[in-house]
Amino acid sequence: MNEENLSAIEIYMNRVFKLVILAAPGATLCAGLTYTAIKFLGFYPMVSMLALLIFDSTCLLYFITAILFVRHCETPDGYLKPNIIKYGKIFLAILEIIQWNFISYLIPCRDFWAYGAFFILFAVFFLDHKYTLLISAEIALSLIASWFIKGDTLLPAHDELFIPNLIIRAVNIFLVVLCLWLITYLVQKRLAHELEKLADYDALTLLHNRRSMKTHISNVMKQAEKGEGTFTLLMCDLDNFKRVNDTFGHDCGDLILKTVANIISCDVKKDDMVFRYGGEEILVMVLADPEITGRVAERIRSDVANEKITYNDKNVGITITIGVAGYKPNATVDELIKIADDKLYFGKNNGKNQVVNE
């Protein structure tokens, strides 16, 4: 899997999806085999061996299904197939509800309600608070229904502490469900957003990074193919940047990179996108044709050349060379980038501090 072109959330789902899909049925299969072994040792005389074997068979069937999910969940380029997460959620929901109820009625244990959190926990990893709430509600309703259906073994003992024990159990169920839902909600709304933002932006320049570049350009390219606008790429490279680093140090180089990144960001429109392509190279996607974009590129070149940068009381001059490549209907993203890159290096080899148009 080539993770360079995947977003942070896509990478997370690729890794966690396989783990969760295998872990849930794997855990229930281990539990079923454990109970069967205990039954063979002579315990649980009231439990039917046939029922246990049926439970083990369903666990094995679920586990084989999970293996098939893992083997066939990705496209050749490493992305999860369309709708695979939706089908995975449905699969786990069915597994959790059926197996939870199966094992609750099969094994006589008054405190089996406490294991409901284990089944709900798998839903949390999808970072979908609505899905987690749905699974939690179904598990809780199944548990409450079991108190009416098989209250003699699933309710607290009918003694003088029956009512307080029932209240404590109900409160615990509510608190567990609430905590798991809150965890999912906060991760989805806060941490996932921050993770995506950190993964998509370069830490030094605060520009979009190369990881997110192809996704954004591909989306705009699809719109252009439908006749819904056009775009042009600018490949920008700072002139003599290595000499600046060698002369003034890398801290000065970082200052220049941040300054140039800010100039470029200010010189383009809000809907245009600026990416740190690598090293001192910056790629700009301008939502305009090459003629208009050429004027934007010239403004960038002029503003960079006229910028007064001071480092340790010394003036540091910097210039930039830019290659321009307009959208072409039959070209891929990589081909357009190569065209812009070739024009950039033509300019670098022929005087620098210039814009090379098509």
Side-chain angles (χ1 to χ4, degrees):
M1 178 179 67
N2 181 14
E3 294 190 344
E4 181 178 322
N5 299 324
L6 302 179
S7 70
I9 296 302
E10 286 169 327
I11 293 172
Y12 167 84
M13 288 309 302
N14 266 290
R15 294 176 178 176
V16 175
F17 179 83
K18 298 173 186 177
L19 173 65
V20 174
I21 287 294
L22 283 173
T28 55
L29 179 59
C30 289
L33 293 176
T34 300
Y35 284 121
T36 304
I38 293 174
K39 173 68 175 177
F40 271 118
L41 293 175
F43 299 95
Y44 293 128
M46 72 294 292
V47 178
S48 166
M49 177 59 77
L50 177 60
L52 268 174
L53 292 176
I54 293 174
F55 178 73
D56 292 340
S57 299
T58 60
C59 289
L60 181 61
L61 178 62
Y62 280 127
F63 191 70
I64 292 172
T65 305
I67 293 174
L68 293 176
F69 261 104
V70 170
R71 288 178 61 87
H72 302 287
C73 68
E74 287 183 345
T75 61
D77 55 0
Y79 289 87
L80 288 176
K81 290 180 179 178
N83 294 323
I84 194 67
I85 296 178
K86 181 180 75 173
Y87 296 140
K89 289 178 179 179
I90 294 172
F91 167 69
L92 279 186
I94 293 172
L95 181 153
E96 290 165 3
I97 300 305
I98 292 178
Q99 300 303 73
W100 160 251
N101 283 280
F102 203 147
I103 203 167
S104 295
Y105 292 109
L106 190 62
I107 308 299
C109 178
R110 294 187 185 276
D111 294 322
F112 226 108
W113 62 271
Y115 293 95
F118 176 77
F119 286 86
I120 300 170
L121 186 61
F122 291 109
V124 175
F125 291 98
F126 283 106
L127 303 183
D128 184 340
H129 69 97
K130 293 181 180 178
Y131 178 70
T132 300
L133 187 61
L134 177 63
I135 296 296
S136 301
E138 290 177 346
I139 292 290
L141 289 174
S142 297
L143 175 61
I144 293 171
S146 72
W147 293 351
F148 292 95
I149 297 171
K150 202 175 181 183
D152 55 331
T153 56
L154 295 175
L155 276 172
H158 283 271
D159 53 22
E160 66 277 6
L161 296 177
F162 173 74
I163 296 299
N165 283 339
L166 184 61
I167 293 173
I168 290 172
R169 185 174 296 190
V171 170
N172 284 340
I173 293 170
F174 173 77
L175 290 177
V176 166
V177 169
L178 180 63
C179 286
L180 289 173
W181 177 79
L182 281 174
I183 290 170
T184 314
Y185 180 82
L186 291 174
V187 169
Q188 180 184 356
K189 295 296 182 181
R190 302 294 182 186
L191 297 183
H193 175 72
E194 290 300 317
L195 176 64
E196 195 70 66
K197 187 166 69 173
L198 288 172
D200 284 350
Y201 287 85
D202 174 62
L204 175 65
T205 62
L206 302 182
L207 300 177
H208 290 278
N209 60 21
R210 192 165 177 171
R211 182 192 296 276
S212 63
M213 178 189 69
K214 279 193 177 181
T215 300
H216 289 295
I217 297 177
S218 295
N219 290 337
V220 173
M221 180 174 281
K222 289 176 183 177
Q223 293 178 338
E225 289 170 352
K226 297 176 183 177
E228 300 174 357
T230 188
F231 68 95
T232 304
L233 298 182
L234 302 178
M235 182 64 80
C236 312
D237 187 82
L238 299 180
D239 299 326
N240 305 312
F241 189 69
K242 184 178 183 302
R243 187 174 65 191
V244 171
N245 274 332
D246 292 343
T247 304
F248 298 98
H250 289 281
D251 287 343
C252 178
D254 289 347
L255 173 62
I256 289 173
L257 276 173
K258 289 190 285 187
T259 302
V260 172
N262 185 61
I263 291 171
I264 295 175
S265 297
C266 291
D267 280 345
V268 299
K269 294 180 296 183
K270 182 180 179 180
D271 292 337
D272 300 331
M273 301 196 76
V274 186
F275 307 90
R276 186 177 181 187
Y277 189 74
E280 66 270 25
E281 285 188 312
I282 294 174
L283 182 71
V284 186
M285 180 180 68
V286 181
L287 302 181
D289 58 41
E291 181 179 354
I292 294 174
T293 305
R295 295 197 289 270
V296 174
E298 179 57 36
R299 182 167 66 246
I300 292 172
R301 184 208 64 77
S302 175
D303 288 348
V304 170
N306 293 328
E307 181 69 18
K308 304 300 182 183
I309 301 175
T310 303
Y311 182 77
N312 287 343
D313 298 325
K314 296 179 181 178
N315 292 326
V316 183
I318 193 72
T319 60
I320 194 169
T321 302
I322 303 174
V324 182
Y327 163 70
K328 293 175 175 53
N330 297 319
T332 65
V333 173
D334 288 332
E335 288 169 344
L336 289 178
I337 290 175
K338 186 177 186 309
I339 292 171
D341 209 38
D342 289 342
K343 294 187 180 300
L344 165 68
Y345 280 98
F346 177 85
K348 300 283 280 187
N349 294 326
N350 290 273
K352 302 179 182 177
N353 189 25
Q354 60 182 290
V355 175
V356 182
N357 289 294
E358 294 192 334

